[in-house]
Amino acid sequence: MYLTRFRINTARMGARRLLTSPQALHAAVMAAFAERVAHSGQGPRVLWRIDNTADGEVLLFIVSPERPDLTHLVEQAGWPETGRWQTAPYGPFLAKLAVGETWAFRLSANPVHSIRRTPDESTKRTAHITPRHQADWLLARQEHGGFAVLDRPAAQPGDLESAGYELLVHSQRELAFRKTDSSSGKRLGVKLTRVTYDGRLRVTDPDALRRTLTAGLGKGKAYGCGLMTLAPVAVAPVAVGP
């Protein structure tokens, strides 16, 4: 497994096109691999995420089973004369994860649930739209994901967003675009809600957490959702956006 970081040059027209189209960015990410990367069940897959930093940088993170070549992204959306990307083997870090360790984390995800408005109606996948329900969505996946979000020592009265946990939900974005169905060739509409989670966690099951970090969490993985990354607690990621 590999972890890659690429800085996007937002002044370029190609960058603006990619950042406004999850489908186009997905295609650009997948084009970084000479051979088609197969996705099998809950195994490792290509995951990606866009981060906006406090000092205005836009970063693309990729986790992948193979080492990517982002030359085409440098040409379209980077700095062709000076631009580089950083790729590091992810396996050594993953192998060292141990029960009880604490980490800062960031996750962009598509928090959804299935509802049925009438007994005869088929279930429909629907996005959670409030920070409290979005936080509950992640908390419900802790045990299976191999981690536990840390309790906040002193929750503030009326703090509904994180419900007493070291967790911030922010940067909600509604995405709507069209894609071509691979089997029928028809153009289909896609809508999803993407939010970002920042917080701190404790490792409870290293194997399960390794699976979360390499296979992703939730739906919409092809469109920038599902990638969780860890950082030392001392340099917890800074939340930006509303």
Side-chain angles (χ1 to χ4, degrees), residues 172-202:
Q172 178 170 319
R173 186 180 177 191
E174 308 299 327
L175 303 175
F177 53 96
R178 300 187 70 80
K179 71 171 186 176
T180 302
D181 183 76
S182 58
S183 58
S184 67
K186 294 181 179 179
R187 296 285 289 172
L188 304 175
V190 178
K191 292 184 179 181
L192 59 87
T193 297
R194 187 170 68 204
V195 299
T196 298
Y197 300 85
D198 282 318
R200 292 187 170 107
L201 60 76
R202 182 179 67 257

Side-chain angles (χ1 to χ4, degrees), residues 118-179:
T118 66
D120 298 329
E121 185 181 52
S122 300
T123 58
K124 181 180 180 181
R125 188 179 298 164
T126 304
H128 289 297
I129 59 173
T130 67
R132 176 60 183 269
H133 288 111
Q134 291 164 348
D136 288 345
W137 176 90
L138 178 61
L139 296 171
R141 284 154 179 77
Q142 296 178 100
E143 182 176 358
H144 181 74
F147 62 92
V149 178
L150 297 182
D151 294 332
R152 193 172 351 178
Q156 299 298 315
D159 184 359
L160 298 179
E161 181 171 317
S162 59
Y165 293 90
E166 293 201 23
L167 177 64
L168 176 66
V169 184
H170 62 94
S171 301
Q172 178 170 319
R173 186 180 177 191
E174 308 299 327
L175 303 175
F177 53 96
R178 300 187 70 80
K179 71 171 186 176

Side-chain angles (χ1 to χ4, degrees), residues 58-79:
V58 179
L59 304 175
L60 169 65
F61 287 94
I62 302 172
V63 165
S64 57
E66 306 295 335
R67 181 183 290 272
D69 182 342
L70 302 186
T71 303
H72 63 299
L73 276 177
V74 173
E75 295 170 348
Q76 294 176 49
W79 286 264

Side-chain angles (χ1 to χ4, degrees), residues 4 19 27 35 53 70 77 81 96 113 119 124 143 162 172 182 198 230 240:
T4 299
L19 291 173
E35 304 296 332
T53 70
L70 302 186
E81 296 296 325
K96 293 179 180 179
H113 63 131
K124 181 180 180 181
E143 182 176 358
S162 59
Q172 178 170 319
S182 58
D198 282 318
L230 306 180
V240 296

Side-chain angles (χ1 to χ4, degrees), residues 5 15 20 51 55 62 101 118 142 146 151 153 166 177 197 211 228 231 235 241:
R5 176 184 182 271
T20 55
D51 280 6
D55 56 3
I62 302 172
E101 291 180 338
T118 66
Q142 296 178 100
D151 294 332
E166 293 201 23
F177 53 96
Y197 300 85
R211 184 172 60 248
M228 175 185 282
V235 290

Side-chain angles (χ1 to χ4, degrees), residues 20-35:
T20 55
S21 171
Q23 188 179 23
L25 189 46
H26 167 69
V29 169
M30 298 308 295
F33 305 96
E35 304 296 332

